[in-house]
Amino acid sequence: MTKTLISSHKQEITIGFDSPFCVIGERINPTGRKLLAAEMAADDYSRVLSDALAQVEAGATMLDVNAGIPMADEPAILAKAIQLVQEVVDVPLAIDSSIVAALEAGLSVYKGKPLVNSVTGEEERLEVVLPLVKKYGAAVVAISNDETGISEDPNVRYEVAKKIVERAADYGIPREDVVVDPLIMPVGAINMAGRSALDLIIRLRNELKVNTTCGASNISFGLPNRHGMNAAFLSMAAGAGMTSAIMNPLHAEEMTGIMGANVMNGNDPECRRWIQKFREPVVPGEGGRERRQTRRRRNA
């Protein structure tokens, strides 16, 4: 099975079908967060660092770092954010930008093997991002849209993903270093978006043999009880073969769905992580009686 290795200067993690689901924490992103954007633009990274620590504490396997602030020096801000975050957490990072200069600034200061977020199937984008990925020995998120936009047809999105994987190979980037984002559509707007996404994830696993990721909350856009919907989607997507997601690990419902999926997929041996997280403490004086009752039931 395909294994994508990502590392920091202290820790290596595996994104793969036989590994626990990779949670990529999304909160270090100023988009839609006016206070965070203003602080980062003013060279204040205190919230960036507290968000980094909180996400790791909540169970994030990796962190996505984005500095997309209008009218700001994004390359400089992204590079500094990456340096500071790597000082306080051990987990690997995804370097997230649509600006090539910012990606290179982040890559130039990163310690380890990062995940570049992202490249699309547009020729112009492929020609500038893939050489950077190869130069710095990174892995890359391949987003399944191209010059024609985002197709609602999952077969078209599959072909775009295949094109990116093939073009990456032309640059010497192996299949295992391409993590495909099949682009999850909102199920509230497109009724069959969930079923189509699961079918596409299965194809990407079985035919293209790549690891996958997504923006997990896209599926529930516009619906009530988004956390419940996200949790249902994540557990089903993991069962279909999705191996990572960009999401907020502070939402306990989604994290519970992922932990359950790890158990069901055999990626939590003996349910150890699940038990450690959810086992109720034994009340003094009751543990022995409970054990004795269990033995009696077994001997009956």
Side-chain angles (χ1 to χ4, degrees):
M1 289 293 187
T2 302
K3 294 182 179 181
T4 303
L5 302 180
I6 309 292
S7 66
S8 66
H9 58 305
K10 291 184 178 180
Q11 185 180 111
E12 182 178 80
I13 63 105
T14 301
I15 302 174
F17 308 121
D18 298 324
S19 298
F21 194 89
C22 178
V23 175
I24 305 173
E26 69 180 6
R27 286 187 53 77
I28 305 175
N29 188 334
T31 304
R33 299 183 67 190
K34 293 183 179 179
L35 184 57
L36 177 62
E39 289 173 348
M40 293 176 75
D43 202 36
D44 177 359
Y45 295 87
S46 55
R47 194 178 305 272
V48 167
L49 299 183
S50 63
D51 278 348
L53 291 166
Q55 290 182 101
V56 173
E57 175 67 22
T61 319
M62 292 179 58
L63 299 179
D64 186 88
V65 181
N66 181 296
I69 305 167
M71 308 301 292
D73 186 351
E74 185 173 337
I77 294 172
L78 184 59
K80 186 167 183 178
I82 287 168
Q83 288 176 303
L84 293 173
V85 169
Q86 282 208 294
E87 290 177 3
V88 298
V89 298
D90 293 343
V91 299
L93 306 182
I95 301 174
D96 185 356
S97 181
S98 60
I99 297 175
V100 174
L103 289 177
E104 180 146 34
L107 285 163
S108 69
V109 300
Y110 188 80
K111 298 175 182 178
K113 178 184 177 181
L115 180 65
V116 170
N117 188 10
S118 57
V119 67
T120 63
E122 298 164 284
E123 287 297 330
E124 181 179 345
R125 190 76 178 164
L126 292 167
E127 291 172 1
V128 292
V129 175
L130 292 180
L132 272 183
V133 173
K134 176 62 177 176
K135 176 182 176 181
Y136 288 95
V140 64
V141 174
I143 298 182
S144 299
N145 72 284
D146 58 14
E147 291 88 350
T148 64
I150 301 173
S151 175
E152 290 187 16
D153 185 345
N155 294 315
V156 173
R157 300 206 300 278
Y158 176 86
E159 291 301 325
V160 174
K162 183 179 178 183
K163 170 188 172 181
I164 298 173
V165 170
E166 291 172 349
R167 290 296 303 278
D170 292 340
Y171 284 92
I173 301 166
R175 183 182 306 265
E176 56 266 28
D177 282 341
V178 181
V179 180
V180 172
D181 182 345
L183 290 172
I184 305 304
M185 305 294 192
V187 73
I190 304 171
N191 191 50
M192 292 301 293
R195 180 68 264 170
S196 295
L198 297 176
D199 290 343
L200 180 51
I201 291 164
I202 291 169
R203 285 194 71 191
L204 290 167
R205 171 179 177 159
N206 294 338
E207 297 178 35
L208 204 54
K209 302 186 186 306
V210 291
N211 285 305
T212 46
T213 195
C214 72
S217 62
N218 291 352
I219 194 71
S220 65
F221 182 79
L223 292 176
N225 189 13
R226 294 190 68 184
H227 299 317
M229 182 63 70
N230 294 342
F233 169 72
L234 282 164
S235 60
M236 293 185 73
M242 182 165 277
T243 47
S244 68
I246 301 168
M247 55 179 286
N248 186 346
L250 303 184
H251 292 153
E253 200 162 356
E254 284 97 319
M255 293 296 286
T256 298
I258 286 168
M259 292 185 72
N262 284 334
V263 172
M264 300 305 169
N265 282 333
N267 292 326
D268 184 2
E270 299 175 350
C271 305
R272 285 193 294 267
R273 290 189 179 91
W274 181 272
I275 292 169
Q276 183 179 12
K277 176 72 174 178
F278 296 110
R279 177 174 50 198
E280 294 181 5
V282 176
V283 177
E286 294 186 0
R289 180 168 67 251
E290 197 169 71
R291 285 192 293 273
R292 286 194 296 273
Q293 288 171 347
T294 299
R295 283 198 295 270
R296 282 198 295 270
R297 283 195 297 269
R298 287 175 180 170
N299 293 330

